Amino acid sequence: MSLALQLKDYRLTTAEILYHLPDHPRILQTFVWQELDIAPRYPRLQKFLDFWHRELDGAVHSVRIASAGLVKPPSVRVPGAYLQLH
């Protein structure tokens, strides 16, 4: 994963796409997509979903998104102890 993208506020984004099987529309299937993307607009995910609607037969039922920033300020956790950094 590119540190340069992470510094531009790209986040690890996971989308669970629930879609109808083309031959059996009453049956739902899950597809998991994961990529670095920018919240809350998710341009890469939107581009992928546009491709899906244009090129694939299975109609999308729903999309669930989880996103987490990878570059964070440092932190130290010590359970039950007090720690002071200088």
Side-chain angles (χ1 to χ4, degrees):
M1 292 184 209
S2 170
L3 180 60
L5 288 177
Q6 294 176 44
L7 293 173
K8 293 179 182 176
D9 206 27
Y10 278 76
R11 300 163 174 258
L12 182 61
T13 303
T14 304
E16 179 188 44
I17 302 167
L18 203 58
Y19 66 97
H20 297 274
L21 290 178
D23 295 337
H24 305 282
R26 295 179 128 181
I27 298 175
L28 295 173
Q29 181 76 23
T30 301
F31 179 82
V32 176
W33 176 92
Q34 191 171 56
E35 188 75 43
L36 288 177
D37 210 348
I38 300 174
R41 299 191 64 196
Y42 303 107
R44 289 186 175 185
L45 176 59
Q46 189 60 50
K47 183 177 177 182
F48 176 75
L49 291 173
D50 290 343
F51 165 80
W52 184 298
H53 289 294
R54 191 176 57 250
E55 302 292 333
L56 301 179
D57 292 331
V60 173
H61 176 272
S62 59
V63 178
R64 188 166 56 170
I65 301 170
S67 181
L70 300 176
V71 176
K72 299 177 182 177
S75 64
V76 177
R77 288 186 181 185
V78 180
Y82 177 73
L83 182 64
Q84 185 175 10
L85 299 175
H86 294 278

